[in-house]
């Protein structure tokens, strides 16, 4: 099986690893996005998929565009049997989708048709889902609308955040693609059209998604914090206008408070207890403005917050 792999971030790199290590497959090349400047020095950083490919001697292409047949000649020279696409980040034109005899297959980070789109992992946590997974599917010209091949489920626990769930799903993505290859080769692969019922869209995370509204329930705020950690973090402001990002919190109990939403009820025990519209949120980790992530206890010891303060993003 001659496979061209298209992907960019860590999740894709982990999937690439699984397929690379699978017997009976040959990764003939990798297509990924261009290097991006990062950090204060704006150093050009290669995407994780490129790093893995170069470490293992796999040829890499980073086309600025695939439109108007820009990659057609290279694609014909590579002549893949299958193209595997995992979080590549660009729309594939018809000439790419239609080229391989075994199709373009994709590992998507949700149980389709729920959470199509750019941020399925974050949105599933934010919306309070308790189960998600990976869907292997054939790609078409829609956004995550292709026929489904198989699904692998993954529980979402209160201990999970975006980072931990991402890592679990990265492993499942590799398993899903290896199973897809096996079923293709032995002729047992099936395809199922996605139902319209239950379909929704997981839009890209924006700054507005990160702003905490403490008038919501403690469970809703807790899910928001988990869904946005370790990036880009949920955020609020202290009474002096300083930005305060929240990295971690405890699962809410049935505790309630009559205080106004956003009120810091106490700073005892190294945690911040904050009143919500329904319930109380216990914050255990923060990022003060201009600082690195730290335990709430360290922030409290810095005397930057007090009981009775009201947190609100304005």
């Amino acid at each position: 099986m001659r496979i061209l792999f298209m992907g960019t971030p860590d999740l894709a790199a982990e999937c690439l690893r699984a397929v690379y290590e699978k017997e009976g497959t040959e990764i003939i090349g990798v297509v990924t996005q261009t290097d991006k400047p990062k950090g204060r020095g704006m150093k050009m950083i290669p995407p994780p998929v490129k790093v893995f490919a170069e470490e293992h001697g796999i040829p890499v292409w980073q086309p600025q565009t695939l439109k108007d047949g820009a990659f057609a000649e290279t694609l014909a020279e590579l002549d893949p049997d299958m193209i595997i696409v995992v979080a590549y980040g660009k729309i594939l034109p018809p000439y790419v989708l239609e080229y391989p005899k075994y199709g373009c297959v994709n590992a998507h980070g949700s149980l389709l048709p729920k959470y199509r789109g750019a941020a399925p992992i974050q949105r599933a946590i934010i919306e309070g889902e308790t189960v998600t997974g990976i869907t292997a599917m054939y790609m078409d010209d829609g956004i995550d609308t292709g026929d489904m091949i198989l699904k692998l489920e993954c529980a979402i626990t209160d201990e999970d955040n975006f980072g931990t769930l991402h890592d679990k799903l990265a492993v499942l993505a590799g398993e899903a693609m290896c199973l897809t290859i096996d079923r293709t080769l032995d002729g047992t692969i099936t395809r199922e059209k996605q139902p319209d019922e239950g379909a929704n869209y997981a839009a890209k995370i924006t700054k507005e998604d990160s702003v905490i509204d403490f008038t919501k329930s403690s469970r809703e705020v807790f899910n928001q914090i988990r869904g946005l950690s370790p990036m880009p973090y949920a955020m609020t402001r202290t009474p002096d206008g300083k930005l305060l990002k929240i990295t971690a919190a405890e699962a809410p109990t049935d505790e309630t408070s009559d205080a106004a939403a956003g009120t810091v009820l106490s700073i005892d025990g190294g945690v911040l207890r904050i009143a919500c519209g329904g319930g109380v949120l216990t914050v255990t980790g923060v990022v003060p403005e201009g600082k690195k992530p730290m335990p709430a206890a360290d922030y409290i010891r810095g005397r930057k917050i007090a009981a009775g303060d009201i947190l609100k993003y304005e």
Side-chain angles (χ1 to χ4, degrees):
M1 176 77 80
R2 291 169 51 80
I3 295 173
L4 177 64
F5 189 95
M6 305 180 76
T8 300
D10 288 314
L11 185 145
E14 182 60 33
C15 184
L16 173 59
R17 179 189 303 279
V19 177
Y20 174 80
E21 294 175 350
K22 180 175 175 54
E23 292 185 8
T25 62
E26 178 189 1
I27 305 293
I28 58 174
V30 157
V31 179
T32 188
Q33 294 211 37
T34 55
D35 298 2
K36 304 293 184 184
K38 289 186 178 180
R40 292 182 179 178
M42 298 300 284
K43 180 181 179 181
M44 298 299 287
I45 303 297
V49 162
K50 179 182 179 180
V51 173
F52 179 91
E54 291 185 335
E55 288 175 349
H56 294 82
I58 304 170
V60 177
W61 285 266
Q62 296 176 278
Q64 291 283 354
T65 182
L66 300 175
K67 296 178 181 179
D68 301 321
F71 194 66
E73 184 176 344
T74 303
L75 185 61
E77 291 174 357
L78 290 168
D79 193 27
D81 299 318
M82 176 184 283
I83 298 177
I84 291 178
V85 184
V86 183
Y88 174 49
K90 291 180 181 289
I91 299 295
L92 302 189
Y95 78 88
V96 177
L97 292 173
E98 297 167 3
Y99 186 90
K101 63 180 177 181
Y102 294 129
C104 286
V105 298
N106 171 249
H108 182 72
S110 76
L111 298 176
L112 292 170
K114 295 187 75 172
Y115 301 110
R116 296 169 176 166
I121 305 174
Q122 296 100 316
R123 297 289 180 189
I125 298 174
I126 291 169
E127 294 299 320
E129 301 285 356
T130 57
V131 179
T132 187
I134 291 289
T135 302
M137 68 174 187
Y138 288 105
M139 298 184 69
D140 61 15
D141 58 1
I143 298 177
D144 304 320
T145 56
D147 291 351
M148 300 180 294
I149 299 168
L150 60 90
K151 296 181 183 182
L152 300 178
E153 291 190 354
C154 178
I156 305 176
T157 71
D158 279 348
E159 287 69 44
D160 278 319
N161 62 16
F162 169 49
T164 63
L165 187 58
H166 169 281
D167 292 349
K168 292 177 184 179
L169 292 178
V171 174
L172 280 188
E175 293 180 16
M177 290 298 94
C178 288
L179 284 171
T180 297
I181 293 168
D182 286 338
R183 294 181 187 183
T184 299
L185 290 174
D186 66 20
T188 62
I189 197 161
T190 59
R191 56 194 305 161
E192 175 188 358
K193 288 193 177 297
Q194 291 190 39
D196 293 330
E197 184 178 355
N200 62 1
Y201 185 71
K204 183 179 180 180
I205 298 297
T206 66
K207 179 181 177 181
E208 288 70 27
D209 292 312
S210 295
V211 175
I212 297 173
D213 178 3
F214 285 108
T215 66
K216 294 183 176 180
S217 72
S218 55
R219 170 57 68 170
E220 289 175 296
V221 178
F222 173 68
N223 289 340
Q224 179 187 16
I225 291 167
R226 293 190 301 136
L228 300 177
S229 182
M231 66 173 70
Y233 294 129
M235 61 186 182
T236 186
R237 290 190 183 276
T238 53
D240 60 359
K242 296 289 187 180
L243 190 66
L244 182 67
K245 297 180 180 179
I246 298 181
T247 64
E250 295 179 0
T253 65
D254 57 2
E255 181 182 7
T256 61
S257 171
D258 294 330
T263 301
V264 178
L265 300 174
S266 73
I267 56 173
D268 301 326
V271 295
L272 300 172
R273 293 176 57 255
I274 303 169
C276 295
V280 174
L281 183 74
T282 301
V283 173
T284 58
V286 299
V287 185
E289 185 170 318
K291 304 291 184 179
K292 294 181 178 180
M294 65 179 65
D298 291 350
Y299 179 61
I300 291 167
R301 279 194 291 271
R303 300 180 182 277
K304 299 295 185 181
I305 199 163
D309 285 348
I310 295 179
L311 306 180
K312 187 175 182 180
Y313 193 96
E314 292 182 323

